[in-house]
């Protein structure tokens, strides 16, 4: 894979200004600016053969600049925006990419996207063939094999490009866009490479954060085994969740905080459930997202929370909450004795009814 020298990033956040000239178009033509992540962003009109689009940006972002005729897309091109001025010549020609003058990030993007477009074009006949209702099982298998091979080549293009240009905003854009398609090994390899950048590029940070949240969501799905953790109780003794789960028929892991109004409103229901089902094998483990011990333990006493109470006093950075991807409270998870997650985020009578079913 060819790399273009002198493309290391200098500035990753600021204002971008796309200044466009439409070649072969007409005043009054409508240009749509769209993002592959969020869809249409803005609509601008060509005046005196020119158009412009500006905004704030963190890092670099891919946009599609699309000219319309009769309300339908007629021509367009991809452009990577980054802090500064980006001069674009857009052609009234569906087969011609825009010229981006004096911008090395876009030169690199063209380098990557040329190969990507070649592979996508090669795949199109097989994609159409897969939709044919009369396709035989063998024909379907053959088509799928070709498509799998082309996908492998596409991901190789991603890995090679990001590896060869890892200190550029163009590589950051490609990694963020294609990271959901990468296998675990390639994602890990590129993440390790990009993590060495200083400062770390924003696309990399967003991609890694998204992957982490997806991993948390996956491992906390109903039917999966719970994730163990260790946390201090009110006396400072370290308690393992796994020890509690093994000792009880079901365990309710309840995330809350003294300052959380909805949590305090829900607590009488949790207390009622604890008192009604404790003898039948229920244990409740409260995990507080408090920062101050006195506030945490004061609320425990005031609300009459007689079950196991844990907290590392790190607020929203609470490690058990991070483990379970907790972003709002109250939040709870019901865990069976064998470690299976039975239910999540039960409220009010729904909690009581569920416990009645699992502890009958």
């Amino acid at each position: 894979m060819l790399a273009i020298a002198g493309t290391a990033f200098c500035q990753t956040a600021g204002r971008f200004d796309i200044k466009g000239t439409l070649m072969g178009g007409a005043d009054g033509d409508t240009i749509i600016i769209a993002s592959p992540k969020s869809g249409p962003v803005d609509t601008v009109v060509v005046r005196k053969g020119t158009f412009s689009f500006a905004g704030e940006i963190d890092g670099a972002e891919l946009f599609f600049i699309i000219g319309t005729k009769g309300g339908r897309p007629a021509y367009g091109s991809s452009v990577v925006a980054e802090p500064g001025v980006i001069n674009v010549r857009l052609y009234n020609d569906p087969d011609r990419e825009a010229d981006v003058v004096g911008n090395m990030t876009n030169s690199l993007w063209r380098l990557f996207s040329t190969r990507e477009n070649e592979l996508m074009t090669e795949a199109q006949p097989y994609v159409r063939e897969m939709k044919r209702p009369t396709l035989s099982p063998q024909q379907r298998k053959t088509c799928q094999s070709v498509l799998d091979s082309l996908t492998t080549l596409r991901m190789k293009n991603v890995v090679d490009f990001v590896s060869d240009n890892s200190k550029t905003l163009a590589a950051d854009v490609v990694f963020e866009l294609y990271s959901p398609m990468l296998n675990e090994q390639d994602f890990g390899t590129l993440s390790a490479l990009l993590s060495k950048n200083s400062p770390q590029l924003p696309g990399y940070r967003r991609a890694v954060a998204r992957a982490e949240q997806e991993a948390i969501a996956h491992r906390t799905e109903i039917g999966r085994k719970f994730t163990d953790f260790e946390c201090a109780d009110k006396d400072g003794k370290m308690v393992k969740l796994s020890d509690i789960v093994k000792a009880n028929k079901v365990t309710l892991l309840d995330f809350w905080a003294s300052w959380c109004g909805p949590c305090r409103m829900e607590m009488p229901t949790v207390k009622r459930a604890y008192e009604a089902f404790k003898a039948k094998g229920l244990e409740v483990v409260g995990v507080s997202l408090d920062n101050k011990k006195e506030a945490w333990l004061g609320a425990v006493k005031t609300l009459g929370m007689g079950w196991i109470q844990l907290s590392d006093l790190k607020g929203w950075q609470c490690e058990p909450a991070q483990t379970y991807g907790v972003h709002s409270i109250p939040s709870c998870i019901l865990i069976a004795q064998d470690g299976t997650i039975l239910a999540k985020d039960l409220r009010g009578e729904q909690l009581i009814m569920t416990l009645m079913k699992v502890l009958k």
Side-chain angles (χ1 to χ4, degrees):
M1 171 67 69
L2 174 67
I4 297 177
T7 57
F9 60 90
C10 296
Q11 182 182 1
T12 62
R15 183 175 177 80
F16 72 89
D17 190 358
I18 295 176
K19 295 184 178 296
T21 301
L22 178 59
M23 310 300 291
D27 284 1
D29 282 5
T30 298
I31 307 292
I32 298 172
I33 314 295
S35 163
K37 294 187 290 185
S38 59
V41 175
D42 198 1
T43 300
V44 297
V45 176
V46 177
R47 304 291 186 198
K48 297 182 179 179
T50 66
F51 61 91
S52 64
F53 174 57
E56 297 295 322
I57 199 167
D58 184 15
E61 184 173 349
L62 180 68
F63 289 102
F64 296 109
I65 300 179
I66 305 164
T68 63
K69 291 183 179 179
R72 294 179 176 274
Y75 55 89
S77 181
S78 59
V79 175
V80 179
E82 62 182 323
V85 176
I86 302 100
N87 293 297
V88 177
R89 272 198 301 267
L90 181 64
Y91 294 89
N92 184 4
D93 181 347
D95 298 319
R96 184 167 181 177
E97 287 279 2
D99 296 326
V100 184
V101 182
N103 184 281
M104 299 304 287
T105 297
N106 278 275
S107 296
L108 277 170
W109 168 254
R110 290 284 181 266
L111 181 69
F112 168 80
S113 61
T114 296
R115 178 58 175 157
E116 166 73 349
N117 291 339
E118 289 172 354
L119 293 168
M120 290 291 287
T121 299
E122 191 174 344
Q124 285 174 4
Y126 298 95
V127 173
R128 289 194 296 268
E129 185 71 358
M130 288 287 281
K131 296 177 181 179
R132 185 163 61 87
T134 58
L135 202 66
S136 71
Q138 183 57 47
Q139 289 172 323
R140 185 174 299 279
K141 183 178 179 181
T142 300
C143 282
Q144 189 60 59
S145 178
V146 173
L147 289 172
D148 290 344
S149 296
L150 289 170
T151 298
T152 298
L153 290 174
R154 289 178 63 205
M155 293 307 100
K156 184 180 185 302
N157 185 38
V158 172
V159 172
D160 289 347
F161 178 81
V162 174
S163 298
D164 291 344
N165 302 280
S166 62
K167 293 186 179 295
T168 70
L169 286 170
D172 198 46
V173 168
V174 170
F175 179 71
E176 183 178 9
L177 284 174
Y178 288 87
S179 60
M181 297 178 63
L182 292 169
N183 61 41
E184 186 175 347
Q185 180 179 345
D186 288 340
F187 183 88
T189 298
L190 295 183
S191 294
L193 180 63
L194 294 171
S195 69
K196 297 176 182 178
N197 285 333
S198 180
Q200 291 175 355
L201 294 172
Y204 157 79
R205 297 197 304 269
R206 289 189 292 264
V208 169
R210 179 179 59 204
E212 289 174 349
Q213 289 303 312
E214 288 174 352
I216 290 170
H218 183 64
R219 70 170 180 257
T220 59
E221 289 175 348
I222 294 172
R224 294 195 170 273
K225 297 298 183 180
F226 81 108
T227 302
D228 198 13
F229 63 77
E230 192 174 36
C231 191
D233 68 10
K234 59 185 180 181
D235 298 317
K237 178 183 175 182
M238 299 304 292
V239 176
K240 279 189 173 182
L241 177 61
S242 55
D243 291 338
I244 301 167
V245 170
K246 290 175 186 176
N248 297 278
K249 289 184 179 179
V250 292
T251 299
L252 182 68
L253 179 60
D254 184 39
F255 294 94
W256 70 288
S258 66
W259 43 261
C260 169
C263 299
R264 298 179 78 107
M265 291 175 63
E266 186 67 19
M267 213 53 72
T269 301
V270 179
K271 184 177 180 180
R272 180 158 64 97
Y274 179 70
E275 292 172 348
F277 297 102
K278 172 66 176 174
K280 294 184 178 183
L282 170 69
E283 185 55 270
V284 179
V285 178
V287 178
S288 169
L289 274 64
D290 275 283
N291 294 104
K292 296 181 179 180
K293 188 172 183 178
E294 56 271 26
W296 165 38
L297 297 183
V300 169
K301 182 178 179 180
T302 300
L303 297 171
M305 301 163 65
W307 49 92
I308 297 169
Q309 297 293 334
L310 307 177
S311 182
D312 58 13
L313 299 175
K314 293 181 180 179
W316 283 110
Q317 300 307 311
C318 167
E319 291 183 16
Q322 296 288 311
T323 297
Y324 280 88
V326 175
H327 298 292
S328 63
I329 50 176
S331 178
C332 69
I333 296 174
L334 192 65
I335 306 169
Q337 194 165 28
D338 67 357
T340 302
I341 296 173
L342 300 174
K344 297 169 65 175
D345 293 327
L346 300 168
R347 297 281 189 275
E349 290 303 312
Q350 186 183 28
L351 173 61
I352 303 297
M353 296 301 293
T354 301
L355 290 171
M356 286 178 65
K357 290 178 182 179
V358 300
L359 289 171
K360 59 184 178 182

